Amino acid sequence: MDSPRARYLVFFQYVGTAFSGVMAVKQPKQGIGVQNLLEKAAERLRSVTPVKFNISSRTDAGVHALENSAHLDVQRLTGRPPFSPDILTLALNRHLAHPDIRVIRAFRAPDDFHARFEATSRTYLYRVATGCPLDTLSVFEQNLCWALRTDHLDVKAMQEAAQHLQGTHNFQAFRSASENNWQNPVKTLLRASVVPAPASPFTHPQEKRKVQFWDIEFESKSFLYKQVRRMTACLVAVGLGTLTPSQVKEKLESQDPWSGPGLLVAPAQGLFLKSVHYEGLDWGPGKDWYNRPSVSRGCSSGDVPEGPGL
C-alpha cells in the first residue's frame, strides 16, 4: 500500500532575467520557465506520482519575485512518512539547477488547498531609478529597475494619479491590448503607492547623490495581464509631465486599452512580485502547517533524501 499523499504550500523567489517567465515552457527553443526547474528538482524526491507545481501568480519573462507561491503533492514510497516542510525545502534547494531560484519555506496544507484561488492578495513592487544618464547605472542594478535619465519626477502628481486607481473599478483600459477578454476586468485595487526608496547598496559612492530610487506598489487579490506594468507606465508618464492625473482617471473610465497617448507598458526588469498573502498563515518559528494546527510533523532531519534517488 502506498504512503498517503501530502500537499504542501511552497514559497519561492527568483531573479527573472534568465527565464521565459515563471510558468513551465514545453518547447526548449522557447526558453525555460522557473516551474521547469522546480519540477526538475522535485523529480529527486522520488514521489510515486510526478510532482507538479501549481503556481499561484504568473510573472512574465524578465520579471522577478521576492516571493511567489505554489502548491504541490508528494507521495512517498510505501511505508515512508511525509517529508517535513523543512526537509522538503532543503531537498528542493539542494537539487535546484539554477542559482537564481531559491525555495524560501514550505508548509503542509489541507488536501483541497489551492495556492492560486486561496490567495487573499498579491503585492507587486516596481522599482524606478532617476538621475541615470546612459550607461551610468550600476551593473548590479541594470536588470532590477527602470532607469530614467531625468533627475526629477513629480511624485506628488504621481501619488494623486495613483489615488484614482485605488478601489473597485473596471480596469479594461490597463489590460494587455492583445489579450483575449475572457477575464473579468473588474478588480479591487487595495493599495497604490509611490514612495522614495532607500539608496541602493550597489550604487557607486560618487553616484549616490545623483541616483534616486522610487518604489511603486500595487496590492490586489488579482490583476489583469500586464495591468501592473501599464499602470506603472502611466504613473511614470505623470511624473515626467507627459500625462496629468486627470488623464489617468479618464483612461481608467474609458475602459479602452487603446486609449491615451500610445500603449504605455513599463519594461519587465523593474517589476517584482513582492508577496502572496494567505489569511491566517503563521510564519512564526515551528509553524509548519497552514490551517492544520494538530497533525504529525512528518519525517525527521535524518530522513533527508540523498543522491540520485532524491
Side-chain angles (χ1 to χ4, degrees):
M1 181 178 180
D2 292 328
S3 296
R5 183 194 68 177
R7 179 159 291 190
Y8 299 87
L9 166 61
V10 173
F11 291 90
F12 57 98
Q13 60 184 197
Y14 46 90
V15 178
T17 307
F19 306 116
S20 299
V22 68
M23 307 305 290
V25 176
K26 295 182 179 180
Q27 300 293 333
K29 291 183 179 180
Q30 297 175 356
I32 192 165
V34 174
Q35 183 182 358
N36 293 108
L37 293 165
L38 287 168
E39 290 179 353
K40 187 67 176 178
E43 290 177 5
R44 308 296 288 275
L45 299 175
R46 297 186 65 189
S47 176
V48 173
T49 56
V51 176
K52 175 178 174 57
F53 277 70
N54 296 274
I55 309 292
S56 75
S57 308
R58 172 180 175 173
T59 60
D60 283 344
V63 176
H64 320 290
L66 298 173
E67 176 189 293
N68 204 337
S69 62
H71 75 262
L72 55 100
D73 296 329
V74 180
Q75 186 174 10
R76 300 194 71 193
L77 298 174
T78 303
R80 298 193 175 188
F83 295 122
S84 73
D86 285 347
I87 297 309
L88 180 69
T89 300
L90 177 65
L92 289 172
N93 280 329
R94 180 172 294 172
H95 292 288
L96 274 167
H98 202 291
D100 290 345
I101 308 172
R102 171 178 167 258
V103 176
I104 304 168
R105 188 167 175 182
F107 296 85
R108 281 291 301 273
D111 290 342
D112 58 352
F113 171 81
H114 199 289
R116 177 185 172 192
F117 299 125
E118 295 191 40
T120 53
S121 72
R122 296 162 173 86
T123 299
Y124 282 88
L125 161 69
Y126 199 100
R127 300 179 70 236
V128 174
T130 55
C132 301
L134 191 63
D135 298 330
T136 62
L137 185 67
S138 165
V139 294
F140 300 104
E141 288 283 5
Q142 287 177 4
N143 292 317
L144 301 176
C145 68
W146 183 6
L148 303 175
R149 297 187 185 186
T150 182
D151 292 325
H152 174 75
L153 288 175
D154 187 343
V155 176
K156 185 176 180 180
M158 293 172 70
Q159 292 168 338
E160 180 184 343
Q163 293 305 304
H164 292 313
L165 300 174
Q166 282 191 177
T168 302
H169 306 285
N170 184 321
F171 282 95
Q172 176 79 12
F174 291 96
R175 78 189 318 157
S176 171
S178 61
E179 182 191 15
N180 293 326
N181 295 333
W182 61 268
Q183 191 178 5
N184 184 357
V186 177
K187 305 290 179 184
T188 298
L189 192 60
L190 301 172
R191 181 167 57 89
S193 64
V194 183
V195 297
S200 169
F202 304 116
T203 303
H204 191 278
Q206 297 301 319
E207 297 174 339
K208 281 191 175 181
R209 286 179 293 180
K210 303 177 184 177
V211 179
Q212 170 67 56
F213 285 87
W214 303 90
D215 287 349
I216 302 174
E217 289 194 12
F218 302 99
E219 181 182 3
S220 178
K221 184 174 182 180
S222 62
F223 295 86
L224 299 170
Y225 181 49
K226 290 207 169 119
Q227 178 186 343
V228 172
R229 287 168 60 189
R230 296 199 69 186
M231 291 190 299
T232 297
C234 281
L235 293 185
V236 169
V238 169
L240 294 172
T242 57
L243 284 179
T244 65
S246 61
Q247 285 177 307
V248 173
K249 183 181 180 182
E250 290 169 5
K251 179 174 178 61
L252 174 66
E253 293 172 345
S254 75
Q255 299 181 17
D256 180 7
W258 298 93
S259 69
L263 296 175
L264 302 174
V265 182
Q269 74 266 15
L271 183 59
F272 295 73
L273 174 59
K274 183 178 180 181
S275 62
V276 183
H277 181 71
Y278 296 91
E279 195 68 35
L281 181 62
D282 189 346
W283 282 76
K287 302 295 185 179
D288 291 344
W289 284 80
Y290 174 51
N291 202 31
R292 285 288 196 271
S294 57
V295 186
S296 170
R297 297 290 184 188
C299 66
S300 67
S301 59
D303 293 317
V304 184
E306 297 286 352
L310 180 61

